């Protein structure tokens, strides 16, 4: 199947999903307090967009700040774990333990330390997204063949040279795979914190709309978050194809 046909059918199936949703709500007489129709959601989104725009920018800026910090922390921890057995034995269990903690439980702690506002949202976003990056970087470094390391050491390369010239390039497919997962987690962390400890952002808008039983506005917030997540996911996919095209199989192999 050609790429054009594949994309056409993908778009058609997405349109069919929303059309089915619309028809189901109309035929079943579902109240918009339970499940609003897509047309109602889009109408609300268009009507309230001037008001929503500052909140969209706030959520996007907060998410990207937490995401960038999470990437830096994840790469550092992943590289440390990947090159040091001692770090693996000590830091990795701590990371797993922290990752197992529901992040809704740490938001009040961040609010206690830094007050309500943007900082707790940034930290929650960071806490949500750094773990998959750290794990994938460590996994990528673990795939470096010991024989290659032995040859490079015999040629006089230091551990830092091996890490920089061989280890990190080998982690790029793992790294970009983790970025696409981490950005969605970052949005979850931001919205979670905004619903609890902020008076700005899409999370706060959704919480206020829910309190007022404005369900179409709640779904409009969900659509906005989904759109932002898909856009950033697509952006990272394009960058991934540019940087790690050598590690990806051709689309023809996956055609069906």
């Amino acid at each position: 199947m050609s790429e054009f046909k594949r994309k056409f059918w993908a778009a058609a199936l997405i349109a069919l999903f929303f059309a089915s949703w619309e028809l189901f709500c109309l035929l079943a007489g579902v109240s918009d307090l339970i499940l609003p129709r897509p047309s109602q959601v889009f109408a609300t989104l268009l009507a309230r967009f001037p008001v929503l725009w500052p909140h969209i920018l706030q959520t996007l800026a907060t998410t990207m700040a937490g995401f960038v910090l999470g990437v830096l922390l994840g790469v550092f921890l992943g590289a440390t774990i990947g090159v040091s057995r001692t770090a693996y034995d000590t830091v990795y269990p701590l990371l797993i333990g922290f990752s197992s903690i529901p992040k809704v439980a740490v938001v009040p702690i961040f609010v206690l330390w830094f007050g309500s506002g943007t900082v707790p949202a940034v930290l929650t976003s960071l806490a949500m997204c750094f773990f998959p990056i750290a794990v994938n970087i460590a996994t990528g470094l673990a795939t470096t063949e010991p024989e290659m390391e032995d040859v490079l050491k015999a040629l006089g390369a230091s551990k830092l040279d091996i890490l920089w010239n061989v280890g990190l390039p080998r982690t790029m497919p793992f790294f970009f795979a983790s970025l696409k997962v981490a950005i969605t987690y970052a949005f979850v962390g931001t919205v979670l914190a905004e619903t609890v400890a902020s008076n700005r952002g899409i999370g706060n808008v959704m919480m206020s709309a829910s309190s007022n039983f404005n369900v179409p506005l709640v779904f409009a917030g969900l659509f906005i978050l989904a759109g932002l997540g898909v856009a950033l996911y697509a952006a990272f996919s394009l960058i991934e194809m540019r940087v790690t095209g050598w590690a990806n199989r051709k689309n023809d192999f996956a055609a069906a």
Side-chain angles (χ1 to χ4, degrees):
M1 183 182 294
S2 67
E3 183 177 357
F4 173 79
K5 288 184 178 179
R6 188 168 60 252
K7 291 183 177 180
F8 171 80
W9 282 112
L13 289 174
I14 293 174
L16 179 62
F17 168 77
F18 284 106
S20 301
W21 179 356
E22 184 85 17
L23 288 175
F24 170 77
C25 291
L26 286 173
L27 297 177
V30 180
S31 171
D32 60 0
L33 292 177
I34 299 175
L35 182 65
R37 302 191 306 274
S39 59
Q40 293 176 305
V41 176
F42 285 117
T44 301
L45 181 58
L46 290 175
R48 302 293 295 271
F49 189 78
V51 178
L52 292 172
W53 179 243
H55 295 282
I56 295 173
L57 293 179
Q58 172 68 23
T59 297
L60 182 60
T62 301
T63 299
M64 293 308 298
F67 176 71
V68 170
L69 294 175
V71 170
L72 295 176
L73 179 61
V75 170
F76 173 76
L77 291 176
T80 302
I81 294 170
V83 300
S84 173
R85 186 66 187 181
T86 301
Y88 178 87
D89 292 337
T90 56
V91 177
Y92 199 59
L94 294 176
L95 288 180
I96 295 175
F98 180 79
S99 178
S100 302
I101 298 174
K103 298 307 177 286
V104 68
V106 302
V107 175
I109 298 176
F110 291 151
V111 173
L112 180 65
W113 289 348
F114 303 101
S116 61
T118 302
V119 175
V122 171
L123 293 177
T124 307
S125 178
L126 183 157
M128 288 286 292
C129 73
F130 83 93
F131 181 74
I133 297 173
V135 171
N136 277 273
I137 290 291
T139 302
L141 291 175
T143 62
T144 304
E145 296 85 349
E147 295 82 2
M148 181 180 295
E149 294 184 2
D150 293 338
V151 170
L152 292 173
K153 288 179 181 178
L155 294 174
S158 64
K159 287 187 177 181
L160 183 60
D161 292 330
I162 297 173
L163 174 64
W164 182 257
N165 295 299
V166 178
L168 290 180
R170 292 289 294 272
T171 67
M172 286 297 102
F174 298 90
F175 176 63
F176 279 101
S178 67
L179 288 184
K180 293 185 288 187
V181 174
I183 190 61
T184 59
Y185 286 174
F187 272 111
V188 172
T190 297
V191 174
L192 176 63
E194 287 177 345
T195 59
V196 176
S198 180
N199 58 1
R200 294 185 298 170
I202 296 300
N204 178 260
V205 170
M206 292 172 60
M207 181 61 66
S208 299
S210 178
S211 301
N212 295 323
F213 298 100
N214 191 348
V215 182
L217 183 56
V218 175
F219 274 78
L222 293 176
F223 278 26
I224 291 171
L225 294 173
L228 292 174
V230 169
L232 290 173
Y233 184 98
F236 286 128
S237 295
L238 291 174
I239 297 173
E240 179 184 18
M241 286 190 293
R242 293 283 186 177
V243 176
T244 64
W246 54 269
N248 297 324
R249 305 175 76 183
K250 293 183 178 180
N251 291 334
D252 293 340
F253 287 102

